[in-house]
Amino acid sequence: MTLPKATQLPIGAVIPEPGSTRKNITAGWRTLRPVINDERCIRCQLCWLYCPEGTIVEKRGVFKVGNRTYDVKYEINYDYCKGCGICANECPTKAIEMVPETT
Amino acid sequence: MQIQEVKHKEALTSNYAVAYAVKAADVDVIAVYPITPQTTIVEKLAEFVANGELNAELIHVESEHSALSAVVGASATGARVFTATSSQGLEYAHEILHIASALRLPIVMAVPARALSAPISIHGDYSDVMNARDTGWVIYIVASAQEAYDTIIQAYRLAESVYLPVMVAYDGFLMSHTVEPVELNDESEVRKFLPRQIRPYTLNPKRPVTMGPLASPDWYYEFKYQQVLALREAYKVAKEVDVAYGSKFGRSYGVVETYKIEDADYALVTYGGAAYGNARIAADRAREKGIAAGVIRVRLYRPFPTLEILKALEGVKAFAVVDRAIMFGSPAEGPLYKDIATAMYMNGIDKPAINIIHGIGQRTIYVEDLYKVYTMLKDRPGKEVVFMGVRI
Ligand code: SF4
Ligand code: SF4
């Protein structure tokens, strides 16, 4: 990838439009990725609440897990998750495991 | 363009001259914290605002760090702003100096220069300005109340053309508190000379932008290089603005001012009011004694006017640089000396050049001292640092 030259960038390091992080994937520095074990997840929402990047997605729908049915499911948006492990640390049922990134 | 007739003349200190210029420039926001010898600038501005002569927001803040931060914020919205400080106040605002220049905000700040603690000195020297030298600001060092007035007006036009903050410095007390006659321009003419040039991006809820974000190693360097380019551009624009100002208001100064340099064998190079004033008298005295003496004053200090300095020094056999700040631990302790030495080295020029350090903490620079420098240049031209006026 070629990055813009000094003379091509807006002066004063201004980011001239809102929401530019939608274009810039910020997960490049992750070494461990959180993986949710849906079987163990009790839908307590703590991971969603604690994630500093807001990258845990709350999905609505009808989700059958074994003999239980839930109307919500938690997933991780790996485009922005930085792998900090806070979610895994906070999860009361240890449903989230941090596994090494493989390239 | 026709030269405008002088309509108005006042007896003003340099501080008051600055305040009149700021009023003429019709600033929107002023944020200040008082420090000697800067205080009277803002006292005068507060008077203008209170009397309804200047329609500006005057913010009283709790420190110089806050004062500069407040004008950074106001300038980011596109407002025309002003602040002023001295000495420890400038030091306290130091981190914001970098932010103001890197965000490319056209802030104008006056600095009646004052010595730094410890020990405490409220008196004038250029230690504070020299400590702010490498922050990416344009720096003028002026030599009279008239020039302070004219330069503040020029500073707004320059700042808003290249999007850089501009500092206008002058001798604390020796200029900030002494009265001189000052010709004031017609304010409506000044406003015509200073059409508001708002930056392409401002803080505006209708058009959101992000200012001052994090830049990873992939990006940061490019923004710093932008500042290098902006200062190079400022060098060109500063000269143009001075010429435009001269043709409109009848007074211009150049980036370097000279006195009897054309046929001089020996020159003093300096900055600020006191040293320049006395150096000219000393040059006259030296000429009476048969020494072809001249003086060079650096008016635009950053960006550095390399070409003009080298040209002014072309014909001299030897010169001395009179510095009014100490660069501790440097190969030669004077900051201007270092700049000139670098300029000469890079252009393959070698000449005897003495570095005189004088006027520290407002130690009196006598005409006799500077006359002596001319005799030194004639009798034993060399390369040395002389701490003149100190008891050793
Ligand atoms: S690892 Fe950190 S960033 Fe990623 S989902 Fe968990 S809490 Fe959020
Ligand atoms: S913290 Fe654990 S149990 Fe709670 S919702 Fe998140 S993954 Fe499920």
Side-chain angles (χ1 to χ4, degrees):
Chain A
M1 185 172 59
T2 23
L3 294 171
K5 293 179 181 166
T7 47
Q8 295 168 325
L9 292 167
I11 63 153
V14 164
I15 298 174
E17 54 187 302
S20 63
T21 43
R22 292 207 184 117
K23 280 190 295 191
N24 298 323
I25 308 301
T26 56
W29 55 15
R30 191 175 59 222
T31 55
L32 293 174
R33 64 163 58 203
V35 175
I36 300 180
N37 179 344
D38 207 29
E39 306 267 306
R40 299 185 69 158
C41 173
I42 56 168
R43 274 66 177 168
C44 69
Q45 211 188 29
L46 281 177
C47 55
W48 179 88
L49 189 67
Y50 274 98
C51 173
E53 297 294 297
T55 59
I56 296 183
V57 188
E58 202 172 51
K59 278 200 160 169
R60 295 282 160 182
V62 182
F63 304 104
K64 272 187 137 4
V65 182
N67 53 7
R68 282 171 301 184
T69 308
Y70 295 106
D71 59 358
V72 67
K73 181 179 159 69
Y74 292 92
E75 280 178 2
I76 287 153
N77 184 342
Y78 291 113
D79 281 351
Y80 302 104
C81 163
K82 66 183 177 195
C84 68
I86 289 175
C87 53
N89 189 62
E90 295 299 332
C91 175
T93 64
K94 299 285 160 239
I96 303 177
E97 195 194 346
M98 299 301 290
V99 304
E101 279 291 332
T102 48
T103 46
Chain B
M1 212 176 285
Q2 234 191 338
I3 291 178
Q4 188 212 339
E5 229 176 275
V6 175
K7 295 205 175 80
H8 201 66
K9 205 166 192 173
E10 291 259 1
L12 299 175
T13 64
S14 290
N15 276 1
Y16 277 10
V18 165
Y20 274 94
V22 170
K23 175 159 82 87
D26 192 24
V27 302
D28 305 308
V29 176
I30 301 163
V32 278
Y33 189 81
I35 186 168
T36 300
Q38 158 263 37
T39 315
T40 58
I41 304 173
V42 191
E43 282 175 1
K44 196 74 193 161
L45 283 169
E47 203 178 294
F48 290 145
V49 172
N51 292 346
E53 287 174 75
L54 171 62
N55 183 16
E57 195 70 42
L58 196 134
I59 313 174
H60 301 274
V61 287
E62 70 282 10
S63 75
E64 291 84 354
H65 187 279
S66 308
L68 196 53
S69 299
V71 294
V72 160
S75 181
T77 70
R80 186 174 279 173
V81 302
F82 175 77
T83 188
T85 190
S86 291
S87 187
Q88 305 304 124
L90 188 58
E91 295 302 304
Y92 192 22
H94 193 94
E95 65 159 325
I96 314 297
L97 294 177
H98 286 274
I99 291 170
S101 59
L103 288 179
R104 306 290 300 277
L105 299 171
I107 295 165
V108 174
M109 173 163 70
V111 179
R114 167 186 150 184
L116 296 174
S117 299
I120 296 169
S121 164
I122 61 159
H123 289 89
D125 73 25
Y126 280 84
S127 310
D128 51 0
V129 176
M130 291 305 172
N131 268 12
R133 188 187 51 210
D134 302 330
T135 55
W137 282 57
V138 172
I139 302 176
Y140 285 101
I141 304 179
V142 301
S144 70
Q146 181 69 63
E147 193 188 344
Y149 176 84
D150 297 329
T151 307
I152 289 280
I153 295 168
Q154 292 190 13
Y156 278 103
R157 176 122 154 205
L158 173 60
E160 292 171 12
S161 305
V162 294
Y163 306 120
L164 281 178
V166 180
M167 195 181 296
V168 178
Y170 45 91
D171 296 18
F173 288 111
L174 295 173
M175 289 172 62
S176 69
H177 284 63
T178 53
V179 172
E180 298 172 64
V182 178
E183 290 176 4
L184 299 178
N185 303 329
D186 186 316
E187 287 192 356
S188 62
E189 291 302 314
V190 172
R191 286 165 199 191
K192 270 189 230 154
F193 184 73
L194 297 176
R196 276 178 160 69
Q197 295 205 66
I198 312 279
R199 291 192 336 146
Y201 300 111
T202 55
L203 291 180
N204 176 357
K206 292 201 185 102
R207 214 175 124 221
V209 298
T210 304
M211 287 191 192
L214 175 102
S216 65
D218 283 346
W219 298 90
Y220 180 84
Y221 192 8
E222 277 66 29
F223 290 111
K224 291 293 123 182
Y225 188 68
Q226 277 188 347
Q227 289 179 255
V228 172
L229 295 180
L231 274 150
R232 288 185 181 170
E233 176 74 7
Y235 184 35
K236 221 176 67 208
V237 178
K239 290 194 258 183
E240 290 165 6
V241 168
D242 188 56
V243 170
Y245 187 89
S247 61
K248 188 164 173 75
F249 298 109
R251 292 177 302 274
S252 64
Y253 305 85
V255 288
V256 163
E257 200 182 3
T258 60
Y259 180 72
K260 296 191 176 170
I261 204 70
E262 293 71 24
D263 62 339
D265 290 332
Y266 306 101
L268 293 193
V269 193
T270 192
Y271 46 87
Y276 185 55
N278 283 0
R280 281 180 295 177
I281 303 170
D284 288 342
R285 192 172 295 180
R287 279 185 179 260
E288 277 164 26
K289 298 270 160 64
I291 305 173
V295 192
I296 299 166
R297 175 176 73 91
V298 178
R299 163 172 140 85
L300 183 68
Y301 187 61
R302 283 290 181 270
F304 195 70
T306 302
L307 292 177
E308 285 76 2
I309 296 267
L310 294 185
K311 196 167 161 284
L313 285 169
E314 216 163 39
V316 307
K317 293 188 184 129
F319 65 96
V321 178
V322 182
D323 263 299
R324 298 176 60 197
I326 302 173
M327 206 159 55
F328 298 103
S330 172
E333 281 89 346
L336 177 61
Y337 184 87
K338 185 215 74 174
D339 285 320
I340 295 176
T342 308
M344 294 205 136
Y345 182 80
M346 288 185 76
N347 287 280
I349 304 165
D350 190 0
K351 255 180 212 190
I354 300 171
N355 190 190
I356 307 285
I357 311 285
H358 207 342
I360 302 303
Q362 211 174 314
R363 176 62 48 86
T364 307
I365 304 170
Y366 294 102
V367 172
E368 193 56 33
D369 295 341
L370 299 179
Y371 169 72
K372 223 181 284 165
V373 176
Y374 284 116
T375 62
M376 272 172 68
L377 286 173
K378 188 169 164 279
D379 299 340
R380 51 174 176 105
K383 291 173 186 168
E384 56 177 321
V385 184
V386 178
F387 287 84
M388 196 166 248
V390 72
R391 295 181 295 276
I392 2 181

